Amino acid sequence: MKRKIYFLLACITMACMLSACSAKTAKQDEEVVETKQEEEVVLSEKQKKILKEAGLPQNYDELDAMQQINIRNIGLMLDYIENKYDKEFEFYKFYADSTGFEAPSLEVYPVDDSECIVTIKSVTKSDSKKITYTDDYMELQATSEYEQAVKNCIAERFQDAEFEAFSTINSMEEGEGDVLSKASAVTYVCMVDPFEKEEDALKAAEEVINYIKEKNGNKPLGIYYYMQTEEQFNRTYITSADDDFSDVEYKYRMTTNNNAARIEEK
């Protein structure tokens, strides 16, 4: 399937977050002054690269208070995730709220997988005011594994059919077992209809859902098939389960979940 490729100009986003949104509070000014008094700030090459692409000075002392806070946060978040997974990540997008009501967050991706957009969020513990970080890297890895497992299952039952499948995991158990046995998830499938009779397609779809239900102990799941012509399939631009499927053209749709399997005419 052809996919739309969306290019994000990180420098534009960064310029907005570091420059245009530079309304600062007295508290933020005090934080920067206190930081400078405690230690000399040395920017990493990645931080300098981000500033350069944003059209901002690469000298820390030439940045305004908000810009200093943001580039420091970016550096801390990059350090956090690279140390946690012993893996190199690249900057993608940064979000900061100049009012201070929302905690900053950073989007990055592994250098070897530019499609895996990881979100890092900062969390301040109310009891100690200590800042910690969370990320969804492992969840994204599990989603990729789950998606591939479902694709393999579909390919066995819809032989020689062109298709793309996009999954999202709602929850996942810890412990032993493969990803199909632990995940509660939803999958969307765009497929060139390989059957002459819709009933044959529905039978194959039921076999897929029943196999996964047996594997995962009947945890909540659903698989939605958009059965298409070749022409419709080639005009479909979907990149993930989070995309809007309302514009997808199809002959008919099949819904399979824990409770039922049915054909839905358009």
Side-chain angles (χ1 to χ4, degrees):
M1 177 186 291
K2 297 185 297 182
R3 296 185 179 186
K4 282 182 181 175
I5 300 176
Y6 296 94
F7 293 99
L8 174 74
L9 296 179
C11 59
I12 293 177
T13 303
M14 198 61 207
C16 173
M17 300 316 301
L18 289 179
S19 281
C21 302
S22 62
K24 51 187 180 294
T25 65
K27 180 181 178 182
Q28 290 166 335
D29 278 334
E30 290 171 4
E31 289 175 354
V32 174
V33 171
E34 183 179 344
T35 298
K36 291 181 70 175
Q37 289 175 344
E38 291 178 355
E39 59 179 303
E40 184 69 23
V41 176
V42 179
L43 298 178
S44 68
E45 291 304 314
K46 281 190 177 180
Q47 287 171 300
K48 290 179 181 179
K49 179 183 177 183
I50 291 166
L51 290 169
K52 182 179 180 180
E53 290 179 346
L56 297 173
Q58 298 172 60
N59 185 333
Y60 180 82
D61 292 336
E62 294 179 27
L63 301 172
D64 68 28
M66 177 60 77
Q67 293 164 355
Q68 289 178 343
I69 291 171
N70 288 344
I71 199 62
R72 280 175 58 83
N73 280 333
I74 289 171
L76 290 170
M77 290 180 179
L78 280 170
D79 287 344
Y80 152 80
I81 198 162
E82 292 186 338
N83 291 333
K84 181 177 180 179
Y85 298 109
D86 192 22
K87 192 179 186 69
E88 186 178 357
F89 289 80
E90 289 289 344
F91 169 84
Y92 185 58
K93 281 195 292 188
F94 178 71
Y95 299 90
D97 177 10
S98 62
T99 66
F101 289 114
E102 293 186 19
S105 64
L106 177 69
E107 290 186 0
V108 298
Y109 58 88
V111 293
D112 57 355
D113 186 3
S114 61
E115 293 189 2
C116 179
I117 306 301
V118 182
T119 301
I120 306 167
K121 296 182 178 180
S122 61
V123 180
T124 304
K125 295 185 177 180
S126 57
D127 54 347
S128 64
K129 294 186 179 180
K130 181 180 179 181
I131 296 176
T132 59
Y133 300 104
T134 62
D135 68 89
D136 58 357
Y137 179 62
M138 295 307 297
E139 287 84 351
L140 291 171
Q141 293 298 101
T143 299
S144 178
E145 183 182 347
Y146 181 91
E147 196 171 86
Q148 187 57 55
V150 173
K151 285 181 179 180
N152 294 341
C153 187
I154 292 172
E156 290 178 4
R157 291 157 179 81
F158 291 86
Q159 294 188 7
D160 301 323
E162 290 184 85
F163 73 92
E164 284 286 349
F166 309 94
S167 301
T168 180
I169 293 179
N170 299 319
S171 63
M172 188 160 153
E173 293 180 349
E174 297 182 358
E176 300 295 324
D178 63 23
V179 69
L180 284 184
S181 68
K182 296 188 293 183
S184 168
V186 175
T187 300
Y188 301 90
V189 183
C190 293
M191 175 184 291
V192 177
D193 186 5
F195 298 103
E196 292 184 4
K197 296 181 180 179
E198 295 176 3
E199 292 78 9
D200 293 335
L202 185 61
K203 180 180 178 182
E206 288 177 319
E207 290 177 357
V208 173
I209 200 79
N210 288 335
Y211 172 79
I212 299 176
K213 283 163 59 177
E214 184 177 329
K215 288 274 290 183
N216 77 359
N218 204 33
K219 296 181 186 67
L221 76 148
I223 304 180
Y224 303 91
Y225 300 80
Y226 293 82
M227 306 302 284
Q228 304 171 294
T229 64
E230 181 84 35
E231 184 179 3
Q232 289 172 333
F233 181 80
N234 289 331
R235 285 202 304 266
T236 301
Y237 294 98
I238 296 291
T239 60
S240 78
D242 295 326
D243 286 351
D244 184 1
F245 283 75
S246 63
D247 292 332
V248 172
E249 299 174 335
Y250 57 91
K251 294 165 56 181
Y252 60 96
R253 193 175 84 151
M254 296 187 298
T255 295
T256 59
N257 53 40
N258 293 64
N259 301 316
R262 62 182 183 273
I263 297 172
E264 300 172 349
E265 299 290 346
K266 185 161 184 177

